[in-house]
Amino acid sequence: MSKKLYLITYGCQMNEYDSSKMADVLAASHGYERTQNPDEADLLLLNTCSVREKAQEKVFSELGRWKEWKSADPDRIIGVGGCVASQEGQAIIERAPYVDLVFGPQTLHRLPELLTSTRQTRKHAVDISFPEIEKFDRLPEPRAEGCTAFVSIMEGCSKYCTFCVVPYTRGEEVSRPLDDVLTEVAQLAAQGVREITLLGQNVNAYRGRMGETAERCDLALLITYIARIPGIDRIRYTTSHPAEFTDALIDAFADEPKLASYLHLPVQAGSDRILGMMKRGYTRAQYLDKIRRIRAARPDLSLSTDFIIGFPTESEDDFIQTMDLIAEAGIDGAYSFIYSPRPGTPASNLRDGVPLEEKQRRLSILQDRIRAQDEAFKRGMLGTRQRVLVERAARKGEGFIAGRTSTNRMVNFEGPQSLIGRFVDVTVTEATPNALRGRLLDAGAVA
């Protein structure tokens, strides 16, 4: 009988990618199969995120429920990975001694050794070091699960924004060699992947070594190389930092048709005063200038961003400047949150004089504006012809399938499931709050 792995993931796409690699490395080394039933699991892993407020409490609350499973079967192994693990380390075991393993984002490849050690010695195993690129050298060959895939091209962050804990939990920026990235993408393409999303905390800071030379490949050049790999027909990347959004990346939107018409470019605030306090490294005008130039290169671009509302001392005028930026940049999607101090960051020492009720009011206003601009963007797609990569059967309606446009909008339309994994042309017929509806144009003209 195979061993069972129960795995919960909190946080970003990078964490989702890491969790898939945890499952792969454990399947290859110890024969674990994933299960959705924790009661039958031999190994329970929690992959954590520390970006938002009370992240640690959320982790310990989940672990409190897992304690019962451990009591029912003391041979069960419980492990905590991810950014909270990196931040808290040994303190997790001190607070929850029934946890057996603690490992950071950069040491997930060492899970087999950690697991073997704790089983043999009956002692806790903790590894939250930063061994740089070793992680990628030790992972199993990539395994596709559908027609889209994530590929991590770099790790860490060297920006040290005053509000952000990522540099302390994932380390400094480290890029994978160009050849390694291209090999992984080619392996995924050979398994039927048609769309690749390149991942990194600051993905446009990518500077991969080219062969044995001292030359470095930037993200724009990497996109060009990936676009030439047979089978890959669409490329996305996330998350970018505005300070390193280069002219070459802007040119890529004009020159590379396989690059999706979607960009997530976190701005965080629209006030120069707040941006300076955040240590973001750019001004409002510089951000808007980049957006204007990107839109000139790719007029149909869908733009999403991140906002932190209620940063310490944020005034009503600062907030109004953020709202004005939303309109001027034409932002149609956003991850927006009320500021929460993260332990160990410079901003956590700032005096926060903005009342919670005011922060909530501002967040509600901002989110209403984003929803309105998203709806306007989708209405603008009505009647247009869209190239859609069919990803799955639609959740509602027998005989319907669902796929994503270049602008990252999901479309539901009638069609055979044999089209899953293929590109088709669809006319958009209706815009709903959660998705678009469309009509398949020519089932014979698929790619």
Side-chain angles (χ1 to χ4, degrees):
M1 183 182 295
S2 63
K3 300 172 186 175
K4 300 293 185 181
L5 165 67
Y6 180 68
L7 175 56
I8 290 180
T9 306
Y10 296 155
C12 64
Q13 289 173 318
M14 183 68 80
N15 269 21
E16 294 288 349
Y17 174 87
D18 283 350
S19 287
S20 70
K21 296 305 178 184
M22 290 178 202
D24 286 348
V25 76
L26 289 168
S29 63
H30 286 69
Y32 277 96
E33 293 182 0
R34 291 188 71 167
T35 177
Q36 300 304 313
N37 181 4
D39 289 314
E40 68 178 23
D42 305 284
L43 173 61
L44 300 101
L45 296 181
L46 183 58
N47 190 13
T48 63
C49 173
S50 61
V51 171
R52 294 286 150 234
E53 186 179 13
K54 299 181 180 177
Q56 289 88 340
E57 294 311 309
K58 185 177 181 182
V59 168
F60 286 110
S61 176
E62 186 68 47
L63 290 175
R65 289 187 283 271
W66 289 15
K67 184 179 181 180
E68 297 179 10
W69 294 320
K70 181 77 169 183
S71 298
D73 183 358
D75 288 332
R76 273 195 180 115
I77 300 295
I78 292 179
V80 179
C83 290
V84 171
S86 182
Q87 190 172 10
E88 297 295 309
Q90 184 71 29
I92 291 176
I93 290 173
E94 291 171 1
R95 184 168 169 182
Y98 49 89
V99 171
D100 303 284
L101 308 172
V102 177
F103 56 97
Q106 308 294 38
T107 53
L108 67 88
H109 61 287
R110 297 177 180 173
L111 263 174
E113 293 95 325
L114 294 172
L115 184 61
T116 298
S117 173
T118 196
R119 282 202 185 281
Q120 291 178 347
T121 66
R122 298 288 180 173
K123 294 180 179 179
H124 304 293
V126 179
D127 189 345
I128 53 172
S129 59
F130 296 104
E132 295 193 347
I133 212 69
E134 174 193 310
K135 166 181 172 180
F136 295 103
D137 294 337
R138 295 271 303 277
L139 293 176
E141 290 191 359
R143 181 168 50 87
E145 296 180 357
C147 57
T148 67
F150 295 125
V151 173
S152 181
I153 64 171
M154 55 95 61
E155 287 271 357
C157 179
S158 304
K159 301 299 181 288
Y160 290 92
C161 299
T162 60
F163 58 84
C164 186
V165 75
V166 168
Y168 310 100
T169 58
R170 284 189 177 262
E172 296 271 318
E173 292 166 357
V174 179
S175 296
R176 295 177 67 188
L178 170 65
D179 289 348
D180 290 1
V181 175
L182 296 181
T183 297
E184 181 169 342
V185 173
Q187 289 172 330
L188 290 166
Q191 297 175 60
V193 168
R194 308 294 301 277
E195 176 183 297
I196 290 290
T197 299
L198 306 175
L199 297 179
Q201 269 74 39
N202 287 320
V203 70
N204 53 337
Y206 175 76
R207 299 293 184 273
R209 189 182 73 246
M210 301 179 70
E212 299 303 318
T213 71
E215 291 186 78
R216 291 292 184 267
C217 175
D218 65 9
L219 179 60
L221 182 57
L222 176 62
I223 289 168
T224 300
Y225 280 124
I226 290 175
R228 304 299 175 262
I229 294 176
I232 300 299
D233 291 295
R234 186 181 284 166
I235 304 165
R236 305 183 189 273
Y237 56 87
T238 194
T239 293
S240 294
H241 193 290
E244 291 197 75
F245 206 90
T246 63
D247 291 346
L249 275 174
I250 295 173
D251 291 342
F253 278 108
D255 300 336
E256 183 46 69
K258 290 185 179 181
L259 181 58
S261 297
Y262 173 81
L263 175 63
H264 184 72
L265 190 61
V267 65
Q268 305 299 356
S271 158
D272 282 342
R273 187 180 74 85
I274 297 297
L275 288 172
M277 291 180 68
M278 290 177 168
K279 197 185 168 189
R280 289 293 286 170
Y282 54 85
T283 65
R284 169 198 180 92
Q286 289 170 332
Y287 183 89
L288 288 170
D289 178 64
K290 289 179 190 287
I291 298 304
R292 281 191 289 269
R293 294 166 61 205
I294 295 166
R295 289 197 181 282
R298 188 68 68 90
D300 65 338
L301 183 86
S302 172
L303 176 65
S304 70
T305 191
D306 293 347
F307 287 112
I308 295 174
I309 302 303
F311 192 79
T313 78
E314 181 190 73
S315 67
E316 183 67 15
D317 182 63
D318 293 324
F319 176 66
I320 289 171
Q321 291 182 56
T322 295
M323 293 299 294
D324 290 345
L325 181 139
I326 292 172
E328 191 169 348
I331 294 166
D332 54 78
Y335 296 101
S336 52
F337 304 92
I338 290 173
Y339 168 74
S340 58
R342 309 314 304 132
T345 61
S348 65
N349 298 315
L350 295 174
R351 192 170 179 179
D352 187 0
V354 185
L356 177 59
E357 295 77 10
E358 178 60 20
K359 293 178 184 180
Q360 292 171 332
R361 183 189 73 86
R362 292 175 186 174
L363 181 65
S364 178
I365 292 170
L366 182 142
Q367 290 178 339
D368 285 345
R369 173 68 63 82
I370 295 294
R371 275 191 291 270
Q373 295 195 182
D374 172 52
E375 290 170 3
F377 186 92
K378 289 188 292 191
R379 286 196 300 272
M381 296 177 71
L382 291 175
T384 64
R385 184 183 184 122
Q386 298 289 325
R387 194 70 167 160
V388 171
L389 175 57
V390 185
E391 296 182 13
R392 55 176 172 77
R395 292 190 175 91
K396 292 184 178 180
E398 189 175 347
F400 283 77
I401 50 180
R404 203 170 295 274
T405 69
S406 179
T407 54
N408 207 34
R409 295 309 197 279
M410 188 61 72
V411 186
N412 296 310
F413 56 98
E414 194 169 3
Q417 292 195 21
S418 60
L419 294 180
I420 292 173
R422 314 281 293 276
F423 280 91
V424 299
D425 288 332
V426 172
T427 296
V428 178
T429 59
E430 185 180 352
T432 70
N434 298 319
L436 299 170
R437 293 189 179 130
R439 183 181 68 255
L440 181 65
L441 286 176
D442 184 0
V446 297

